Amino acid sequence: MTIALITGGNKGIGYETARLLGERGMTVLVGSRSEERGREAVQRLRAVRVEAYAVVLDVTDEASIAAAAKRIDKEFGRLDVLINNAGIAQGSADGRASSDTLDVMRRVYETNVFGVVAVTNAMLPLLRRSPSARIVNVSSEVGSISTQGNPDGPLWPMRSVPYPSSKAALNMLTMQYAKELSEAGIKVNAANPGYCATDLNGFRGYRTPEQGARVSVHLATMPDDGPTGVLWGDRSMSHGTHEDGVIDW
Ligand code: NAP
């Protein structure tokens, strides 16, 4: 039995990740900050014969994270896959670096950066009990400094600070955790799902949430000789190709 926890698993890319991992036979723990939304997601997953359980988990609330870790320990005794998927996007209307308030910056970082650190550290003792654990941090190409900084690339006109910089920070977290955990055989990679039609962007993305979720599934099921410490996924912004692959940081 392989046990996977997906934060923000109640909708969007996280829900599809839970479904796809469940269809591969994993037991999926659907992290949701709302008990009701988590329960509804689990009902939908069970309707397609996925073994799913709802876990109340707000990544900005340390008590909620501790309670989730305690429950997983008690009921499952270990964790094989952690998908740090929960994320939010906010920012000023004009996107200018000088326009964003510290309040918005803090809010975005609480979820997209500090939340990942808090959840990862709380789940690490459980992940260390797995024979080959995988951590997937759901990042974005907009956090790739080389892609953002290419004057000839599609992200050059993008102006936004809170969300892209939070994903750039997440990329560095990925590398640092990958280095720390390589001896333990735990692979830590960052996923770029690509621009997917979800609530996060008013459903404007050109990929489906399922297509985005396949990126996380690829990294979560990486064999033992696969890479650790890479940003992997949709390369259309960075390389102009729709084939998934490694993306420069
Ligand atoms: P989404 O549909 O808005 O889903 C976001 C999920 O995160 C929801 O389940 C949401 O829960 C949850 N969440 C937000 N704050 C949370 C918190 N404090 N604690 C726990 N859960 C929380 O967006 P999505 O597009 O699927 O996003 C999933 C991930 O993909 C994010 O990390 C996002 O940055 C990343 N991503 C998305 C795209 C894209 O084009 N969509 C591209 C690149 C990367 P509620 O239902 O309670 O709000």
Side-chain angles (χ1 to χ4, degrees), residues 133-147:
R134 303 285 176 261
I135 299 174
V136 179
N137 293 330
V138 183
S139 185
S140 171
E141 69 242 323
V142 306
S144 159
I145 295 174
S146 55
T147 308

Side-chain angles (χ1 to χ4, degrees), residues 7-14 31-34 37 57-60 84-88 111-112 138-141 163 167 191-201 205:
T7 67
N10 58 287
K11 72 176 181 186
I13 297 167
S32 172
R33 58 181 162 175
S34 148
R37 289 194 288 276
L57 178 47
D58 181 336
V59 304
T60 64
N84 284 309
N85 168 82
I88 59 168
T111 302
N112 296 5
V138 183
S139 185
S140 171
E141 69 242 323
Y163 183 77
K167 295 300 188 184
N192 174 30
Y195 194 35
C196 302
T198 68
D199 248 354
L200 190 94
N201 51 37

Side-chain angles (χ1 to χ4, degrees), residues 31-249:
S32 172
R33 58 181 162 175
S34 148
E35 195 175 348
E36 192 188 343
R37 289 194 288 276
R39 199 172 42 235
E40 283 168 6
V42 162
Q43 274 170 7
R44 281 190 284 144
L45 289 167
R46 288 183 179 169
V48 292
R49 290 194 291 282
V50 164
E51 189 176 351
Y53 301 88
V55 174
V56 175
L57 178 47
D58 181 336
V59 304
T60 64
D61 178 348
E62 284 187 44
S64 152
I65 296 167
K70 200 171 161 190
R71 186 178 148 204
I72 296 168
D73 187 12
K74 194 169 158 220
E75 293 182 21
F76 300 94
R78 68 164 204 287
L79 193 59
D80 301 294
V81 171
L82 169 62
I83 315 268
N84 284 309
N85 168 82
I88 59 168
Q90 290 177 9
S92 64
D94 66 14
R96 288 156 66 105
S98 54
S99 299
D100 284 297
T101 63
L102 271 179
D103 269 359
V104 172
M105 292 290 290
R106 287 196 179 105
R107 215 174 305 136
V108 172
Y109 274 60
E110 280 297 340
T111 302
N112 296 5
V113 183
F114 309 143
V116 173
V117 174
V119 172
T120 303
N121 290 348
M123 300 301 161
L124 260 182
L126 297 168
L127 289 159
R128 286 184 188 279
R129 291 185 206 145
S130 168
S132 57
R134 303 285 176 261
I135 299 174
V136 179
N137 293 330
V138 183
S139 185
S140 171
E141 69 242 323
V142 306
S144 159
I145 295 174
S146 55
T147 308
Q148 285 273 1
N150 175 7
D152 302 318
L155 288 183
W156 181 253
M158 181 182 190
R159 297 289 181 266
S160 177
V161 171
Y163 183 77
S165 68
S166 74
K167 295 300 188 184
L170 179 60
N171 290 346
M172 181 57 81
L173 287 182
T174 304
M175 179 58 80
Q176 295 297 337
Y177 275 97
K179 290 197 282 186
E180 178 181 336
L181 297 173
S182 69
E183 272 181 24
I186 302 177
K187 293 193 188 301
V188 189
N189 289 299
N192 174 30
Y195 194 35
C196 302
T198 68
D199 248 354
L200 190 94
N201 51 37
F203 299 93
R204 283 190 299 268
Y206 52 74
R207 278 187 156 191
T208 64
E210 177 179 339
Q211 284 175 306
R214 283 196 206 124
V215 174
S216 294
V217 170
H218 173 84
L219 295 172
T221 54
M222 187 85 81
D224 285 342
D225 60 357
T228 188
V230 298
L231 172 61
W232 195 93
D234 181 21
R235 302 172 102 206
S236 43
M237 299 284 177
S238 53
H239 294 74
T241 159
H242 286 293
E243 261 174 56
D244 289 349
V246 173
I247 297 160
D248 291 339
W249 298 111

